[in-house]
Amino acid sequence: MTQILSVVSECAPLIKTGGLADVAGALPAALKAHGDHMRVLLPGYRAIMGKLPKTKAVDTYRDLFGGKATLRAAEAHGLDLLILDAPHLYDREGGIYGDAAGHDWPDNPERFAALSYIGALIAKDGAGGWTPDIVHGHDWQAGLTPEYLHGWGVQTPFVFTIHNIAFHGNTGADRLHSLRLDASRFNADHFEFWGQISALKAALAGADRITTVSQTYARELLTPEFGIGMDGILRARKADLTGIVNGIDTDLWNPETDPEITPYKAPAGKASNKRALQKTFGLGKSDGPLCVLVSRLTEQKGIDLLLQALPALLDNGGQLALLGSGAPHLEVALAEAAERHPNLAVKIGYDEALSHQLIAGGDAILVPSRFEPCGLTQLYGLRYGTLPLVALTGGLADTVINASPAALTAGAATGVQFHPVTAQALSDAFTTLCALYADAPTWKKMQRNAMKQPVGWDTSAAEYHAIYTDLTT
Ligand code: ADP
């Protein structure tokens, strides 16, 4: 049984801002089926500490980047957790990465260096008698782990997963000392990136294996357009880079048992959920498709393109119900557009239960992202017979089968893809979507196909297992 320590900054259902948490929360159970045991090292944010019924101290540190800290073992939601309880770093009001106004915490470099440092220390000294065979870090917050492993001469293999390369975790070289880094390695071969310390670069340079969350994104990352400055190092590490598409938690996202909705087995069962959703969002009846969107509201997610392309949906009798939060200018623009269009309804906020109702009640789910490493909501859509309309990029390219004439003839289509990622192409895709929706037998066939797609973790967990096995045997 391979023992794996997952080092990660969020983990569902305990603490979540995005898909990273879903993956971190689902992977341990998925790996269990392959005989692997994964423990999850998480920062002891205030929001987490309040939710853990019982913890057991397994280690203490007198000075962890400026204060006392305790490593606590806990079990919750079937997860075997190691919580880094360091009040000076994590016990504060506000978000996990920044304050309520959306500004990053100024000590984020120390906060996540500490997480990485303890991840490496557990590999070196163990935690309460348990020592991992592999350390698996996620995104820049775990990025410095291989630097600390190297500094102590620890040979434990390090696997790194890129969930979103847009976040580099860069900071000034004046922090070399405070982050306990080896100044002799502050160069382009290790963790220096254009004169700054880069936690992401440290991981890309130092990991034994690098994975990312879809095969298309793995290829895209090698290009300047998507690699965001890291394409060079990734091209150098190409032989060690693998794309493994994310799964979803098929128990939590199961239309037959979902407690947040009127459960259904077949597409026809969506009708009552659609009516309920229209009511919740104050939308009337309409002849066209009810589209839904659940997302962070950022440029990455193509929300600005959506605003421009909306007339092609709304003027064709379509509707949109949207749930999200993010960039204030996009929130305002959406709220203003909703005032003008009776067929557009917007709720600003984060609401898990409502996200289930949207996915169940919608006819189609929109993911118009400029880049999308994997994307999860299109996978929820497939499982719920809510056809994805997505940009042809990253994981969206890998998980949706476009309703091309050939795919429709073969009876294989599950959604609509558009390319290039422009407002014009999205408008055209809305026109296609409305035409498909008007063709009831074709639409129903696509829904059935969608609901049959394998979107769980089986295949992907086997691929992670193969990497761990490769590194330990
Ligand atoms: P990202 O990680 O880039 O934000 P993903 O599609 O990979 O995008 O994952 C987003 C996750 O967060 C999904 O589980 C989605 O349902 C959830 N989510 C995003 N915004 C909201 C919201 N406003 N309310 C509820 N869930 C949300």
Side-chain angles (χ1 to χ4, degrees), residues 16-20 22 164 253 294-296 300-301 323-325 349-352 355 372 375-377 380:
K16 163 168 165 175
T17 71
L20 167 62
D22 292 297
N164 192 338
W253 291 95
V294 180
S295 182
R296 292 186 289 121
Q300 178 203 332
K301 300 291 181 180
L323 168 66
S325 61
Y350 188 93
D351 188 333
E352 296 269 347
S355 73
E372 193 57 76
L376 292 176
T377 61
Y380 305 150

Side-chain angles (χ1 to χ4, degrees), residues 44-132:
Y45 306 112
R46 183 178 291 184
I48 290 187
M49 298 313 289
K51 281 187 205 164
L52 298 172
K54 215 170 53 190
T55 67
K56 181 170 166 244
V58 290
D59 223 329
T60 53
Y61 316 103
R62 250 177 313 165
D63 175 17
L64 182 69
F65 296 82
K68 270 195 199 153
T70 308
L71 186 67
R72 301 183 186 278
E75 281 188 24
H77 310 282
L79 295 163
D80 186 353
L81 300 163
L82 289 166
I83 303 290
L84 181 56
D85 181 9
H88 61 295
L89 300 173
Y90 310 126
D91 181 19
R92 54 183 79 166
E93 270 317 318
I96 62 177
Y97 304 124
D99 62 19
H103 303 117
D104 282 354
W105 296 116
D107 59 346
N108 272 350
E110 285 76 17
R111 295 173 78 230
F112 296 106
L115 180 73
S116 306
Y117 186 91
I118 295 301
L121 199 60
I122 293 170
K124 175 172 164 282
D125 294 340
W130 176 84
T131 309

Side-chain angles (χ1 to χ4, degrees), residues 24-49:
L27 206 47
L31 287 167
K32 214 177 269 176
H34 297 275
D36 294 333
H37 177 213
M38 178 174 265
R39 298 186 88 177
V40 181
L41 174 66
L42 262 183
Y45 306 112
R46 183 178 291 184
I48 290 187
M49 298 313 289

Side-chain angles (χ1 to χ4, degrees), residues 219-250:
R219 283 194 300 275
E220 288 172 344
L221 283 175
L222 305 178
T223 67
E225 185 189 351
F226 290 94
I228 320 185
M230 295 294 174
D231 45 298
I233 175 127
L234 281 166
R235 282 194 298 277
R237 302 283 335 253
K238 194 175 160 197
D240 298 314
L241 172 67
T242 319
I244 303 177
V245 75
N246 286 334
I248 60 171
D249 182 333
T250 48

Side-chain angles (χ1 to χ4, degrees), residues 281 297 322-328 330-332 334-335 346-351:
F281 275 80
L297 303 177
L322 181 150
L323 168 66
S325 61
L330 293 172
E331 292 184 353
V332 169
L334 283 166
V346 171
K347 286 198 193 285
I348 300 297
Y350 188 93
D351 188 333

Side-chain angles (χ1 to χ4, degrees), residues 377-458:
T377 61
Q378 86 279 9
L379 300 177
Y380 305 150
L382 289 171
R383 185 140 164 88
Y384 281 63
T386 308
L387 300 185
L389 187 164
V390 302
L392 184 69
T393 187
L396 304 173
D398 296 356
T399 54
V400 176
I401 303 170
N402 183 41
S404 64
L408 286 170
T409 308
T414 60
V416 173
Q417 289 170 325
F418 67 95
H419 182 78
V421 190
T422 60
Q424 183 56 53
L426 177 53
S427 296
D428 295 345
F430 277 136
T431 308
T432 304
L433 187 84
C434 290
L436 285 168
Y437 183 74
D439 176 358
T442 300
W443 187 267
K444 190 155 278 176
K445 171 89 180 102
M446 287 176 69
Q447 286 183 305
R448 289 216 185 87
N449 283 344
M451 292 176 82
K452 280 193 294 214
Q453 297 301 306
V455 290
W457 271 103
D458 298 353

